[in-house]
Amino acid sequence: MKMTSISNCNIKLHRCESFFYIFLWIGAVLYSIYKVSLISNYFNNYNDIYGDFAPGWSWIGRKQDISDQEWRIWIPLMIKLIPYLVLHHFISRIIKIIANSMLICCWYIFMAITFLYFCVGTLGMLCVVMQPSILFILTYKRNRSTVWSINILFLFIIHFLKIPDGTFQNMLELNDEEHYILTLVMCWVQLRSISYSIDNEKSYLKDDDMFSFIRNFLCKLAYCLYLPTLSLGPLILYHEFADSVNGTFQSLKLANLRNFVFNLIRYIFWIYFANLCLHFLYFNAIQYHPEGVQDLNPWALYGLGYCMGQFFLIKYVVVYGLNRTLCAIDNVKAPPQPKCVARVHLYSDMWKYFDQGLYKFLVRYMVYYNCFTLFPLLLLSSFYGHN
């Protein structure tokens, strides 16, 4: 007798049964979110010494939860980037028509340096520029083991530089927001430096003259400091970035402009939607009050986990989605926005569909080269442990 595997059986549910499960699921989610909304009672007489709340929109008449550091810094940072991005794209379109890829690389570097100068100051800007420069010199024409060793050492250094109110922050005279942005940029630069070094491992052997050295150096700086993805990602692997820079010029079409405007409206909507929710759902602030979490009933506790996951998703949908839209203007192919975490039923698919740029990085450089040591843990903690 042949046994049929359960995994190969295609069981089709009746339509009424499917609707019943959908209704049950949506009802349970909405009820748990309602229970989370009752957490606001905990903060009625709250002494806000840490600045977890701010006066909300006047027409709502409620205070807004601003305790999430990433959301509090990321959105103003994206607004601050707007004039630099407009100039970045306007001039880059002109350069691509009349000049070669080396000039466009110089323009990318110049715009990133200009933004960093006004955002984190002279010393902060020099730190960001020196990081890929030093890594380029140390890893140029080195074998793979040396490249990994040097980058792991630099990642350890970044972990020490991230310490709040530490020697690094005080020496550069940065406030907490500037220090956060600087270390965030350095983490992204570190990833791109690894991608560049590994992807160019073989091409280095063919280049022996000074012109090639300078050209490679400018390409790396342009890649590491590319303004639309400089501070908030997503991660674009070097060979994908190089293909777009070295590719033929493509003029903007009406369909491209329509997609740009549509995506811009779409992600702005999610920003306002998230801020609206933060007037009623204080799931970020309650995380810093264990005594309040202990008193939650199971429904509120499940809803708390659901809201935290969805808010985490919205943050990356907004920043990755907007930056991908901006990259499309330069014909740079960036990874798509994350897939909704509520639709991911296998955690093995979480990295694959949430942060596809980082996932491709892990597969291309770490799984392929058997580099699973302490480095992946440090890497992931650098990008998702800023709070």
Side-chain angles (χ1 to χ4, degrees), residues 126-310:
L126 290 175
C127 286
V128 175
V129 175
M130 286 173 59
Q131 181 188 359
S133 303
I134 294 173
L135 283 168
F136 177 80
I137 295 171
L138 294 179
T139 60
Y140 190 70
K141 292 192 175 182
R142 298 289 191 272
N143 58 47
R144 194 178 307 153
S145 300
T146 304
V147 169
W148 279 113
S149 300
I150 293 172
N151 280 285
I152 290 174
L153 175 62
F154 265 70
L155 194 60
F156 272 107
I157 294 173
I158 292 175
H159 266 265
F160 287 108
L161 300 183
K162 285 172 57 179
I163 299 174
D165 296 321
T167 305
F168 179 70
Q169 181 178 351
N170 295 329
M171 184 175 63
L172 270 62
E173 299 180 349
L174 302 173
N175 59 38
D176 292 339
E177 180 179 330
E178 292 171 341
H179 176 247
Y180 174 87
I181 294 173
L182 177 58
T183 54
L184 182 63
V185 170
M186 294 179 73
C187 287
W188 283 112
V189 169
Q190 188 66 33
L191 269 186
R192 298 186 191 108
S193 292
I194 296 171
S195 177
Y196 178 87
S197 298
I198 301 298
D199 279 354
N200 284 279
E201 182 184 10
K202 294 181 180 178
S203 63
Y204 281 159
L205 301 177
K206 304 175 183 177
D207 301 328
D208 294 323
D209 57 299
M210 181 56 67
F211 176 77
S212 297
F213 179 87
I214 296 174
R215 184 191 63 213
N216 289 329
F217 176 67
L218 291 176
C219 287
K220 178 174 183 178
L221 277 186
Y223 167 60
C224 290
L225 303 179
Y226 180 59
L227 190 59
T229 60
L230 173 66
S231 54
L232 296 175
L235 178 63
I236 304 171
L237 302 187
Y238 176 72
H239 69 278
E240 297 173 338
F241 178 83
D243 290 342
S244 63
V245 172
N246 297 324
T248 56
F249 172 77
Q250 298 180 9
S251 59
L252 286 176
K253 300 178 181 177
L254 183 60
N256 302 126
L257 294 175
R258 269 201 310 264
N259 289 335
F260 174 77
V261 173
F262 172 76
N263 287 327
L264 199 61
I265 297 172
R266 173 186 175 191
Y267 296 119
I268 290 175
F269 163 78
W270 283 115
I271 292 174
Y272 279 97
F273 176 80
N275 285 329
L276 176 65
C277 292
L278 292 176
H279 285 78
F280 300 95
L281 304 173
Y282 299 157
F283 49 83
N284 288 322
I286 197 65
Q287 299 177 55
Y288 303 102
H289 300 272
E291 68 282 358
V293 177
Q294 290 176 358
D295 296 335
L296 297 179
N297 60 46
W299 276 107
L301 197 60
Y302 303 151
L304 178 64
Y306 180 83
C307 289
M308 289 169 59
Q310 291 301 115

Side-chain angles (χ1 to χ4, degrees), residues 331-350:
N331 297 320
V332 176
K333 187 177 180 181
Q337 67 182 41
K339 181 179 179 180
C340 179
V341 293
R343 295 172 52 207
V344 179
H345 62 282
L346 292 175
Y347 199 79
S348 58
D349 289 342
M350 183 61 76

